[in-house]
Amino acid sequence: MQALSAAASWSAYAPRTSAPSRTRRNHIFYVRESKGQTTRAALSPSINISIPAPAWKDYRLFHSSEPPHSVTCPKAAISAPADTSADTTSTESLARYVAAHGGKRVIRKVLIANNGMAATKAIISMRRWAYNEIGDENAIEFLVMATPEDLKANAEFIRYADDFVEVPGGSNKNNYANVDLIVDIAEREGIDAVWPGWGHASENPKLPTALKERSIQFIGPTAPVMSVLGDKIAANILAQTAKVPSIPWSGDGLEAILTEEGTIPIDIFNKAMVTTIDECLESANRIGYPVMLKASEGGGGKGIRMSANDDELRVNFEMVKAEVPGSPMFMMQLCTQARHLEVQIVGDEYGNAVALSGRDCSTQRRFQKIFEEGPPSIAEPQVFREMEKAAQRLTRNIGYIGAGTVEYLYNAETHDYFFLELNPRLQVEHPVTEGITGVNLPATQLQVAMGIPLNRIPDIRKFYGLEADADSPIDFMEEDYVLPDRHLIAARITAENPDEGFKPTSGGIERVSFQSTPSVWGYFSVGANGGVHEYADSQFGHIFAVGVTREDARKSLVLALKGMVVRGEIRTAVEYLVQLLETDDFKANTIDTSWLDGIIKAKSIAMKEDPHTIVASAVIYRAFQMVKSEEAAFKEFWQKGQTATQGITRLTQFPMDITYQDVKYSFTVQRRGPDSLVLSLRGEDLIHARIRERSDGVLLGIWGGQTHEIDGLEEPLGLRMVLDGQTWLLPNQFDPSELRTDVTGKLIRFLQDDGCEVVAGKPYAEVEAMKMVMPLIATESGTVSHAKSGGAVIEAGDLLGTLKLKDPNKVKKISPFGGKFRFSSDEGSDAPPSASEALEDAINATNLLLDGYFLPVEETVNILLERLCDPTLPDIDGGRWQRACSVLNGIVDRYLAVECIFAGKKVDAVMREQIRINSGELDTLLKIVLAHARINQRTQMVISLLKQAPTLPQRIMGGPIGWADDHAPISDEFRASIERLSNLRGADYGEVALTASNILLEKRLPSIDKRLLELKSILLGGVGLDRAWGTAEAGDLKSLIESPTLAVDLLPSLFADTDTDVADAALEVYTKRVYRAHNVISTDIVRSEGLDSMNFKFQFNTYPEESPLRFGIMVVTSTLDQARAQMSAILDRLSDHIGNAPKDTPIHVLHIALSDQIEDPALADCCAALLNEYRGRMAELGVKFVNVISYVPPNLPHYYTFTAASGYQEDPLYRGERPTVAHLLELARLENYNLTRLPTVNRDLHVYVGESKQGFGKRGLQKHMLLRRISHSRDAADGGIERVLGKAVEALDLASLDPRTKGTSSGRIYINFLPVQTNSPFDVCVSSLKTKVLEFISRNSTELLAQQVDEIEIRFRIAENPGSAVQVPVRIMATSMSGQWLKVDVYREYLDPQTGKATQFCMLDKDGSEEACFLEPYPMPGTLQQKRSIARAIGTTYIYDFLGLIEKAMVLEWRQYIAASGGGEVPVDMFRAEELVLSSGDENLSKAEASRIAGSNDIGMVAWQCFMKTPEYPDGREIVLVGNDCTFMSGSFGVKEDDFYFAVSQYARQRGLPRVYIASNSGARIGLVEELKPYFKVAWNDASNPSLGFKYLYLSPDDYAAFPAGTVNASEVIDDGETRMKLDDIIGQIHGIGVENLRGSGMIAGEQSAAYADAFTLSYITGRSVGIGAYLCRLGQRNIQMTNGPLILTGYLALNKLLGREVYTSQDQLGGPQVMMPNGVSHMQVGDDQEGVRAILRWLSYVPSTCFTRSSALPSTDPVSRKIEFKPTKTPYDPRHMIAGTEAVDGSWVGGFFDKGSWTETMAEWGKSVVCGRARLGGIPMGVIAVETRLMEQRIPADPANPESRETVLAQAGEGWVPDSSPKKTT
């Protein structure tokens, strides 16, 4: 650490990390006098030596375990021993040194009775002396005292010491100022001497007295001298006695002769004191203001206050008394314009006193020194020499021993000086003297304590220019020293806040960085991860700078302070010190002791920085720290097994408010990358900042072309931020009525009593912090209420009291920022990036967007494509297009890498899985979740790229290259990635999957050029057509016309081909294809008079003898302008073609092909305008419609149709359609819907979103997906129906991805098969087609349910007889409109021969005869459809539709059984359901007399008795099916529902029938008395403040009387002079909306339990089941749960409100399968309702028909005689293989114990050490329980409501019972 190396510069050694064990502590050498007295010396026990004693004494030295040896020395007090060994010890060396320099005693072990800076400096200095003089830095052993606070703060002095003793913490009276404690430690630890330092007990005479009594040396003056000189009153009296000039003070004129004890007579001493406030005021007025009130035992700025008037003096009197309790006080006049100069003196026990130059300490703040410098150049040399001699005389006269300081006030103008005080101790600033004299003062103290004379101390001798080791005398009063040419300035580093009047601060210190140089050094009392506690002195460092001149030293100090860094919780004044050093007054040395206080009061020095830069830096710092802490919180959360991700978006965009200088800035912060932020204000992006965090935690913020260093600390009162080396406080917004402390310490007292007035700007309390007493100033006036009492320990931010504001309107208010925010927009003038670099930047930006960061989507995409298409990009291997594909593939893969994890899955399940996968790399999981959180932006970016991909080949490579062109191939990897995109499913992926599917389809098609070339060859008869679903021989135009794969829309491009054969063939094929549903009688090409046309005749082919002959022409021209010029000729040609045929009815057609018409949005309007001019003529000709085709070859054409019915204006229903498509798709029947067409690649397949034109109920307009398809397939009866229907369902699935389909409630399919079915008799053909539709529905019910298909309509033309020309239109309809889902019926159509529209539909029965006939367009959705829509919206199936699902599932069961058994047929009438109703009279349950219309139930529950023919019961069995109608009051349980359920359950139980309950409900019904809501009133406790609550609710007497009796219970009261009806009970008139439902809940719960005991009960949870609904399922025991069907007691939103935070994100976290399956509540889990119905049937297959019979055996194809092929292994294996069999490695089947395919497992997730289920053995149903042989895991998930809970994984050994497997076995 830099700070440590700086401190180490004080010595020639590196400080040790720990003190070595000192075994010699227990080995003591004694120096014994010959008379028997013994003196201890801490010598090494390694050898016995003799030390010569003084001549007048005979000393003997011996080891405690060896005999003594005697030696005498007649001259020296201690003489040096002879070297008797090369391996002499440090103790011997120390003894020799003492002896050689005339010392009296050897001090080997020193107790440092101090801490912090004092202890650190003493140990460093003494160790340096020991190394320099003796050669061993460990010659002196140091023991220190350490409080718990020092240990916690990692204080440096503890590390430098050899050992420490832990002492009590708290105030220094408990430790460092505790004389008894110090003496006890010294005595107990065998201490030779105690070094007191400064402060604490250093000036307490009791300490040297007590030590002397125990023969322990005190390193300092004797007790009497300390008492005199340490007391400022006594010192001033002595100064006056010695005629030293003194300033006016409270003891003016007093003189004294010292007593025998060396003290001032008490009567004279008392005369100089002030003891009361009255004495203070009297003395002050005599002396004259300003005055200084001082505590004589104070120091270091403590116990001294300046007062300018009587009021200030009254306050300061209490503060001085509190800072130095018990100390005498005196007063002196403040000497203005004075300098504070000091003389450093050292005296020895021989009466010598040396003056070691002096110091100028005039830069003071509140009498605490800030800078010290030396020598004091402001004083004339001869005057300062007089001051030195005066100090020497004073100390010699009183026999002063040790280091001390005589302080003077000096007037630079008059050169007068006045005695101030004498400090009998070493002072903090003594290193200044060391720096200019070279004298090591702590070491000098030590040597004086050893009895070495001053003239024998080497440093002193060298200071006087004498030989260091000589012993010549020095006359210190007469001889002059010569100072070197140097000046030194020191700065104190303190934990003080200069912005708050230098208030002390406390807290941890992370790092101190200071770089020492030859001209600058320093030392610190704290290290890394240390701190300054509230009981410590605020100074923790001292920096020294030396130079030849004062200015050189000043500059060095400025640079050193600027480079210094202190990181931590404390505040420092380092920046402020730099400002002071840079002032003109300091530079010119014209300051005085009041200079700094004047600057502070005037606030003339303030750090300067643009406030907006400060605000921006604070936002950046807080944003970075917020993101950092949030990320850590998420990772910690997930580490516990929690799965919630809510709030993750806060990591990329969040608001950030900063208040500074009473202005509030409301920013929005967006993260553009892991190290990039954008700050926005009022919607405008202002600052784009890059952030880097250094290893030391400092942020480097780069914006506006500048780099800023930012560090900070959140404090209770706000953010303390260090910006570029300067500290700023950005306070939190606070309540002005709250009085909070900004310091940590102790509350001494309030200055006003509770309830008294506090005045703004005046003190209201006094607190003690770091041994300083300071006032707290009120910011507002008001009446105070105390929140704490005097003596309380307080921390910064604590509430001390509250104010009732005197004038709230005058309180300073925070105003929102409304100006222009200043910031630098200069980002530098770097050279623009190369094309490759720009592309790389664009790719990086795209990747950041994909990673979840906040970038603008369209801008990012456009920049990427612009860079990709940059022609200056260098070529690469594979070419430019390949590079583009690689980039796009990388983007898609990056998107898929995240979204494939989430697609189609629930977030909770994904998180559980990912937490397991990434348990050791939660950073990876954080990246995944962060990216997925911005799925909308990520998806929009991918969609934008995909939509522009087809245009990229041309943009990148130039020329007419399309997406499908062979010149723009895409790699297999890119194609596979797009296919993966197209397969994504889920609400979030619809549009991207649809876009990917469409561009894949486009890419699969050959290029238009190729297709046109092939089409030409086919038209000329050169080649045939060969496609998977349609072929035509070469030259066979008829087969080509009928081919399902003909590219019809390419034909118009050949209408004007230069090869007339091609053009003629194209016109003929196009016309006959378009009119394929008609009988085209003739075609004729006419090319004359500059006009080319195809003339044709046609009629309807259904009833050709009745259909009129129709005429049409196809005119080919170039543009609309050309057509306008030829319009008359066109109509003339049509007229000639029609001839004398009837024209009174519009049946003829006109086609105009514009073969070179550029696309124009206004083309339709222009065409309409042209046709409007000729509409009269066209009406005369009987023109039904005009179809305009516009295109520019080879592009696909645009179609516009203008009908006679609309006055030859365009019909929007026909836009984009070939002329007969709308007729073939029967779009006119969709007139009740507003249609929105969705894009499809197949132009014969249309998908619309149809919104009903009229609303219904509360849900308003309904939306449906309508699919219309024309099929040219000839194989309808041979697989074509299944294929086309399958494609239709796929198309619906694809279309559902379009966002416009959101909210659609059903899907409807219409398919028109154009080829005539001629292979079978009419009735056989009809029956066969109907069967195929039925089977398709049964096999694909899951997919049909997923697409919400409610109607399938297929239109056929069937020959009346095989080979007959008569075509009968037949329509097969599978519809859910009657109630049963997709009930299949067949209809015959009767058409109008003129219009071709159906006049009626007649239902065909089994033998082909007609039943009822009807005709209407598709009806508007009614009640049934609305209910179905409601059910689907909540994720379930409408209850009545379950009957259809059961029937379809039974068909499949029979098909599978027949396939397995090898024969049989599906029985007729295999399923029948009769609805059960509860009669209103006797409340008996019975079958409905007539089949009710589905959805006509008037309660929220329905039931049926179902008759079923199943493979197990081919003759039939019965079950009772009961379920909630979730569309009736949300399926809630009211009284009627409870009674109905009870009756149904008893009905089934009495008959022994299995009862299946289909659950989807909202629990017990709770209602409101709606009619009362407009009338009730509230009696507030305080009408002006409703937040105080209310007394009661009431009605006016008139309103009360208007309600029927019994609606409410009320009592009459009179309140506020008004008669009121106070509401006691609210009952209402509707039964079943209140607590009466709870009675019913209890009733049905009891019935459910009885039913489980008496009969078979099975519940299927198809949707949310709440409260009593969930309880019924639990009591019924056997449960099948759908993935989206949670079982819950209370909804997650309600729980979140109760918990007060967003804990749960879905109902699934409370009762989804992931909760219920592992806990054994649910037995089976299914994915959808069709799978659920199959699971119900499979479970029923094991159950007897009634509880009174046995289960039926199913004929089995797996013979009971076969051997069990599976053999258990010795190693653990899956017991399911033994039960059910398994597949071998080679694919062969290995049979198990039970019939193949009969095994069904239940409760698979619960109690995994046991396997349970059902199977058959020889067709007989069996229950199965097996023990798992493998080691299994039980996972107990974390509770989302408890952030501290963790997921628990318990291992469960196989072949044993564990707590959850035992109940599973019994279940």
Side-chain angles (χ1 to χ4, degrees), residues 54 322 663 1771 1798:
V663 178
T1771 58
S1798 69

Side-chain angles (χ1 to χ4, degrees), residues 218-232:
F218 178 75
I219 303 178
T222 60
V225 173
M226 178 184 292
S227 178
V228 173
L229 295 183
D231 189 282
K232 296 176 176 61

Side-chain angles (χ1 to χ4, degrees), residues 1013-1034:
L1013 187 61
E1014 181 189 34
L1015 187 56
K1016 276 187 180 183
S1017 299
I1018 293 172
L1019 292 174
L1020 290 174
V1023 296
L1025 180 67
D1026 186 11
R1027 298 286 188 269
W1029 299 108
T1031 60
E1033 297 295 331

Side-chain angles (χ1 to χ4, degrees), residues 211-431:
L211 291 174
K212 184 177 180 181
E213 292 173 355
R214 290 162 177 79
S215 301
I216 300 173
Q217 186 70 30
F218 178 75
I219 303 178
T222 60
V225 173
M226 178 184 292
S227 178
V228 173
L229 295 183
D231 189 282
K232 296 176 176 61
I233 295 175
N236 275 278
I237 293 174
L238 287 177
Q240 290 181 151
T241 304
K243 307 305 180 184
V244 177
S246 298
I247 60 176
W249 69 299
S250 56
D252 278 344
L254 294 175
E255 297 184 4
I257 299 174
L258 296 179
T259 65
E260 292 181 1
E261 291 81 13
T263 62
I264 300 293
I266 189 65
D267 57 333
I268 298 176
F269 186 90
N270 289 340
K271 290 179 181 179
M273 289 173 54
V274 288
T275 58
T276 67
I277 185 61
D278 292 334
E279 292 179 1
C280 285
L281 293 172
E282 180 185 353
S283 293
N285 285 286
R286 175 178 60 80
I287 295 169
Y289 287 105
V291 297
M292 303 297 301
L293 181 63
K294 294 186 177 183
S296 64
E297 296 176 4
K302 294 180 288 294
I304 180 169
R305 286 288 188 278
M306 187 274 287
S307 302
N309 51 54
D310 289 356
D311 291 339
E312 291 183 7
L313 185 57
R314 287 188 179 91
V315 174
N316 289 332
F317 178 80
E318 298 295 338
M319 297 180 108
V320 171
K321 187 166 68 173
E323 284 184 354
V324 191
S327 171
M329 292 186 290
F330 69 101
M331 184 182 297
M332 61 194 312
Q333 187 183 62
L334 176 65
C335 184
T336 59
Q337 297 181 342
R339 302 290 287 257
H340 179 110
L341 304 186
E342 300 177 347
V343 174
Q344 178 69 60
I345 53 106
V346 180
D348 63 18
E349 60 186 84
Y350 306 108
N352 298 314
V354 62
L356 299 175
S357 188
R359 301 178 290 267
D360 186 343
C361 302
S362 300
T363 307
Q364 299 181 3
R365 185 265 312 158
R366 221 168 57 201
F367 311 106
Q368 187 170 1
K369 300 161 187 174
I370 301 298
F371 296 131
E372 304 101 350
E373 50 184 307
S377 57
I378 191 67
E380 296 291 339
Q382 62 275 16
V383 175
F384 189 73
R385 183 58 184 146
E386 292 175 9
M387 297 166 69
E388 287 183 314
K389 288 183 177 181
Q392 288 174 280
R393 285 193 301 271
L394 182 59
T395 52
R396 287 181 62 180
N397 288 345
I398 59 175
Y400 187 89
I401 300 174
T405 302
V406 178
E407 298 181 355
Y408 296 96
L409 291 177
Y410 175 76
N411 189 311
E413 293 184 0
T414 64
H415 305 298
D416 294 330
Y417 60 92
F418 305 97
F419 176 79
L420 187 60
E421 61 182 348
L422 194 157
N423 285 314
R425 54 176 170 79
L426 195 63
Q427 289 195 262
V428 179
E429 59 271 22
H430 74 271

Side-chain angles (χ1 to χ4, degrees), residues 1285-1329:
L1285 280 174
K1287 293 291 184 183
V1289 175
E1290 289 179 11
L1292 280 179
D1293 180 38
L1294 194 61
S1296 67
L1297 303 176
D1298 193 302
R1300 288 171 290 184
T1301 65
K1302 185 177 181 181
T1304 54
S1305 60
S1306 71
R1308 301 180 182 180
I1309 297 173
Y1310 170 85
I1311 300 173
N1312 191 343
F1313 276 88
L1314 297 184
V1316 180
Q1317 309 300 315
T1318 62
N1319 297 330
S1320 304
F1322 178 80
D1323 57 341
V1324 174
C1325 186
V1326 169
S1327 177
S1328 173
L1329 293 174

